[in-house]
Amino acid sequence: MNPTLAYILIAAQTLYWLYYLWQRRPRTASDDSALLLLYASQGGQAETLANHLADGLNTRAQSLDAWHAHHPVKALSGKTLILIASTTGDGDPPDNAIRFSRSLKKTGAALTDTRYHLLALGDKRYPHYCAYGYHLDSELQRLGAERESPVTTVDNLDPQTIAYWQKQLGEHLHTTLDVPAQPPAARAVLLSRSRLNPDSEQPLYHLRLDCPALAADTDTALIEITIPHGKDELRRQYSVAGIAPDGSRGLDLIIRLQTHADGTPGAGSHYLTETLQPGGEVKVRALTHHPAELPDAPRPLILIASGSGLAGILGILTRMETRYPASKHDLKHWFIYGERHPEHDRIYASCLEKQREDGILTWLDRTYSQGNPPQYAQHILEAQQERLLSQLDAGAILYICGSADKVGAGTMDTLHQLLGEKTCDRLTKEGRLHLDTF
C-alpha cells in the first residue's frame, strides 16, 4: 500500500475514534445551559433521585452548594430549575445547601425569567415535614421566580408521588421520564430477635436478617424495609449495625419500639419487634446514606450515639475496622454512648467492652440520663475537652447518631460552645462532622 495512503487511513481512523469518544463523553450542564438540576440532600436520597433523573434529561445533577461555589444566586436568572430538596434537623437545609441558603436569604436581586419545578422529600412522622422545600419555594417566590408546576411533597420516597411528579415534569419539558426512585427491593428473612433491655421502660430489640442479595455488600449503612399495613404498605429506614451483641457479624438492626402520645405503638417498629416472627419475610433495599460514609484514608473517629442510634455508630465502627484496622493503622477511636438507666439499659455491654479490650476502641464512655447524677454525652465532651481537641488535631472524624432533639441538639450546642461555630462549619465542609439524627 502507498505509505501516504496508509498514513491518511490511520489519521482518518484516529479522528473517527476521537469523534466517537467525544460523542460518548459524560454530558454536563454548562454555565450557559438553560436547564439546571440541583439538589439538597442530607442522607443521599435526594441526590440519588437527582442523579437518576439527570440520565433521563441528558444533563448532570449538582448540589446547591456545589453550583453556588462557582455562581452567584443571580445567575439563576433566565434558567429553568429542577429542584429536589430534603429537610434535616428542625426544618434546616441539608449540609450541601447551607451556603446557598444563606446567600439566597441575603440577596435582593430579582430572578428574571426564572422558572422552577420543586420536589420536596420528607417524612410525615416527624415535625417540620418538607420544611426546607417550602422555604426554598418561598424564597424563590420572593425574588420573582415563577413556579412552573405545583410544589410536590413526598412522604418516605413514595414511588407513586414521585412518578406523578416526573410525569408532570416531563410534560413541561416535552419529554417522557420514567426514572426509578429507588433500587429494586430484595427479600429478607428474620432469623432472630431478642430484647436488649428486658427491664427497661422503653423496649429496644436486636434483629438479625438474612438477605442473600445484600450479603456481599458489606458497605450497606442504611436499609429501607417495606412493612404491610392493612391494605397499604409502609416504608421505614433503619441503620445497619453489622454486628450482634455476641460479636458475630451479619445484617443486624437495633430497633426501639416506638409509642405515640396516646399510647398506641408505632406501626413500623411494632410490626418488626412483635408481629413479624422468625422465618417471616420482608422486602428490603439498600439505600445511599452520606452521614455514615467512611473517610477515604485511615482517621481516628469520635463516635457519639444515644438509644437506637447505637446501630448507626456500630455500623460505622464495624465497617471502619474492616477497611482500616485500628491496630494496623494505630488509630485511636473514642465512643460516647448515652442511654436511660445504668441498671436496665446497658445495651451491648460485653460487645463494646470486648472492642475496647481488643484496641478497636481506645476510649469508651457510657452516660445515663437516669443515673445519679444524670449524665449526657455533652457532659463527657465538656469534661474531656482536651481529648476532643487533641483528636481533632489528629484529623478525627466526628459522627453523631440518635434523636435529633436529644443527642443531636445537645451535642451540637456543646460543640459550638467548645469549638466555635466557624470551626464546626469548617469541619462540616471538610466532611469531618457527620450528623445522622431522626
Side-chain angles (χ1 to χ4, degrees):
M1 179 183 291
N2 185 306
T4 301
L5 180 59
Y7 286 133
I8 291 173
L9 290 174
I10 292 172
Q13 187 178 37
T14 301
L15 288 172
Y16 170 79
W17 277 106
L18 288 173
Y19 175 74
Y20 173 77
L21 293 172
W22 181 82
Q23 287 285 74
R24 291 179 60 84
R25 74 196 187 284
R27 303 290 183 177
T28 60
S30 63
D31 287 349
D32 58 356
S33 173
L35 180 68
L36 288 177
L37 174 53
L38 304 172
Y39 61 82
S41 182
Q42 187 70 20
Q45 308 316 309
E47 178 183 355
T48 299
L49 182 56
N51 283 328
H52 288 166
L53 190 61
D55 293 336
L57 294 172
N58 198 29
T59 185
R60 68 165 172 167
Q62 304 176 77
S63 73
L64 285 166
D65 277 356
W67 178 85
H68 185 43
H70 303 285
H71 307 87
V73 171
K74 65 181 181 181
L76 295 174
S77 290
K79 307 290 188 184
T80 295
L81 312 179
I82 302 173
L83 303 164
I84 303 177
S86 60
T87 299
T88 188
D90 295 327
D92 303 318
D95 291 341
N96 56 20
I98 290 175
R99 285 170 289 282
F100 173 84
S101 299
R102 288 173 180 168
S103 298
L104 185 66
K105 186 175 182 179
K106 292 177 182 177
T107 190
L111 295 180
T112 307
D113 198 27
T114 300
R115 296 166 299 281
Y116 65 94
H117 306 267
L118 175 57
L119 182 70
L121 309 185
D123 187 333
K124 286 183 177 178
R125 293 177 298 160
Y126 301 110
H128 313 293
Y129 174 64
C130 293
Y132 180 63
Y134 287 125
H135 171 76
L136 202 55
D137 174 58
S138 176
E139 287 295 291
L140 291 171
Q141 289 281 298
R142 177 180 66 85
L143 297 174
E146 178 185 349
R147 190 191 301 124
E148 199 160 55
S149 62
V151 174
T152 300
T153 59
V154 186
D155 180 29
N156 260 312
L157 290 176
D158 176 61
Q160 290 182 334
T161 306
I162 293 174
Y164 169 78
W165 179 77
Q166 287 185 15
K167 182 176 182 296
Q168 71 174 10
L169 177 63
E171 290 172 354
H172 281 279
L173 299 178
H174 308 292
T175 187
T176 301
L177 296 172
D178 184 17
V179 180
Q182 298 173 309
R187 293 284 178 179
V189 176
L190 176 63
L191 295 181
S192 63
R193 178 178 60 223
S194 61
R195 183 164 170 176
L196 297 169
N197 54 355
D199 299 318
S200 178
E201 297 174 357
Q202 295 190 350
L204 199 61
Y205 292 84
H206 163 260
L207 285 74
R208 171 160 286 180
L209 303 178
D210 176 49
C211 182
L214 298 184
D217 187 1
T218 57
D219 285 332
T220 299
L222 187 74
I223 63 171
E224 179 189 84
I225 301 181
T226 301
I227 296 166
H229 185 62
K231 296 181 179 179
D232 300 320
E233 290 182 332
L234 303 175
R235 286 171 298 280
R236 296 290 183 261
Q237 297 175 3
Y238 297 97
S239 293
V240 176
I243 188 170
D246 63 5
S248 61
R249 305 290 179 87
L251 187 55
D252 297 284
L253 310 178
I254 300 173
I255 298 178
R256 175 88 68 189
L257 175 58
Q258 300 292 337
T259 304
H260 300 306
D262 62 2
T264 59
S269 63
H270 179 263
Y271 180 82
L272 293 173
T273 62
E274 296 190 359
T275 304
L276 182 67
Q277 296 302 309
E281 289 189 352
V282 289
K283 291 186 291 186
V284 305
R285 55 167 54 89
L287 299 178
T288 301
H289 195 51
H290 292 320
E293 286 182 345
L294 300 183
D296 55 9
R299 295 281 194 94
L301 306 181
I302 301 173
L303 307 165
I304 302 172
S306 68
S308 60
L310 174 64
I313 292 301
L314 283 176
I316 291 165
L317 187 61
T318 300
R319 290 182 289 113
M320 186 74 175
E321 184 63 14
T322 299
R323 186 177 300 183
Y324 307 117
S327 59
K328 179 180 178 180
H329 296 281
D330 193 27
L331 298 176
K332 295 182 178 181
H333 302 318
W334 179 17
F335 183 26
I336 306 172
Y337 178 46
E339 250 296 344
R340 291 168 56 83
H341 200 282
E343 294 182 13
H344 308 316
D345 294 297
R346 292 188 61 79
I347 311 302
Y348 269 71
S350 59
C351 178
L352 292 174
E353 284 297 330
K354 182 70 164 55
Q355 292 188 332
R356 186 182 62 80
E357 292 169 2
D358 292 345
I360 298 172
L361 290 171
T362 302
W363 302 283
L364 173 62
D365 292 297
R366 302 194 66 145
T367 67
Y368 299 94
S369 60
Q370 296 181 359
N372 187 18
Q375 193 177 40
Y376 297 89
Q378 50 265 39
H379 295 143
I380 300 296
L381 291 174
E382 292 169 347
Q384 298 292 342
Q385 184 176 1
E386 185 176 340
R387 182 191 297 170
L388 172 66
L389 296 175
S390 175
Q391 285 290 92
L392 291 175
D393 286 343
I397 313 292
L398 263 160
Y399 293 91
I400 302 166
C401 189
S403 172
D405 61 350
K406 294 177 183 176
V407 69
T411 301
M412 287 306 300
D413 287 346
T414 301
L415 289 173
H416 280 121
Q417 292 171 10
L418 298 178
L419 305 176
E421 187 171 343
K422 288 185 178 180
T423 297
C424 290
D425 286 347
R426 175 177 58 80
L427 291 173
T428 300
K429 187 176 181 180
E430 293 173 354
R432 294 177 56 197
L433 177 54
H434 298 253
L435 190 62
D436 183 10
T437 56
F438 43 84

